[in-house]
Amino acid sequence: MVLGAVTTGTAAEIAWITESMRRVFPREWDDFAAGIPERHRDLPPAAAYARLFVDPDPTVRAEAARSWCTCEDTHVSLLPGWVPNPRYEDPDFRNVFSRLVSHYWSNDCFLADRPLLAHIDRLDGVPATLLHSRYDVSSPLDIAWDLARSWPTSRLVVLDDAGHGGGSFADEFTAEVGEFGAAHARPLPSSRP
């Protein structure tokens, strides 16, 4: 398999991107936090937003999706030449993306009682390329590094010109998939008798 912008779904990673990111983007994070109504401020941000995304009022859902996606787009803005991603202008994309991500994050990626690294032995023998970017502030490089060190049949490729996407990320990911597929291809079984 080829994995890009690697995360392992830990509670610490979710807290980093939804709470501690204020250390990197204080103004933008304060705007993100301001989108949480008082009645949900006792919840972690992902859980608070997850509630907003199921609010019966479509205006509440739309405003929450815009706030969530603005915050997401900010995380990739450290690279020179960054421009906002046009996909976040599509209200359908914003609604689906933000609801999906917040659902997983508000439920600890459904991994809370079985962290991925604690069960990495299940991937023993499975070849993988982990493609990660040095400037990925959303998912710092140590996450991919630790995963690669724990997964003997994986290979970590670090890009020096990208963040959580951008730069050469898409081209490198496509190339890795092509190389990986060629190296590990198996003939498909014949459908003929």
Side-chain angles (χ1 to χ4, degrees):
M1 68 179 79
V2 178
L3 303 174
V6 178
T7 64
T8 59
T10 65
E13 290 171 54
I14 296 165
W16 165 254
I17 200 166
T18 60
E19 297 173 43
S20 301
M21 194 59 68
R22 184 178 189 279
R23 298 182 71 189
V24 181
F25 299 105
R27 179 176 34 98
E28 294 85 349
W29 190 90
D30 284 353
D31 290 345
F32 172 70
I36 301 171
E38 189 64 41
R39 69 184 183 277
H40 296 315
R41 291 210 173 136
D42 61 325
L43 299 170
Y49 269 93
R51 289 202 180 167
L52 295 175
F53 297 137
V54 296
D55 192 281
D57 184 344
T59 303
V60 169
R61 294 191 308 267
E63 288 175 11
R66 181 173 293 281
S67 178
W68 183 277
C69 290
T70 297
C71 189
E72 285 276 347
D73 206 22
T74 298
H75 298 170
V76 298
S77 68
L78 294 177
L79 292 176
W82 171 82
V83 293
N85 192 320
R87 71 182 180 173
Y88 294 123
E89 289 307 312
D90 177 355
D92 291 332
F93 178 86
R94 282 195 309 263
N95 292 334
V96 170
F97 177 82
S98 57
R99 188 168 181 183
L100 180 67
V101 174
S102 69
H103 174 69
Y104 276 89
W105 287 357
S106 65
N107 288 289
D108 294 322
C109 294
F110 301 96
L111 295 170
D113 60 340
R114 41 188 199 287
L116 183 63
L117 287 177
H119 299 283
I120 197 70
D121 59 314
R122 293 181 180 180
L123 294 174
D124 189 33
V126 175
T129 298
L130 310 176
L131 185 68
H132 205 81
S133 304
R134 184 166 311 281
Y135 301 109
D136 187 344
V137 71
S138 301
S139 176
L141 182 55
D142 66 327
I143 296 165
W145 180 267
D146 291 344
L147 181 59
R149 288 182 59 201
S150 300
W151 188 353
T153 53
S154 71
R155 176 176 70 96
L156 177 61
V157 176
V158 179
L159 303 177
D160 287 325
D161 72 337
H164 198 71
S168 65
F169 192 89
D171 291 340
E172 291 292 335
F173 191 85
T174 300
E176 286 294 332
V177 169
E179 288 176 28
F180 196 86
H184 299 283
R186 287 184 249 171
L188 295 174
S190 173
S191 61
R192 297 180 184 165

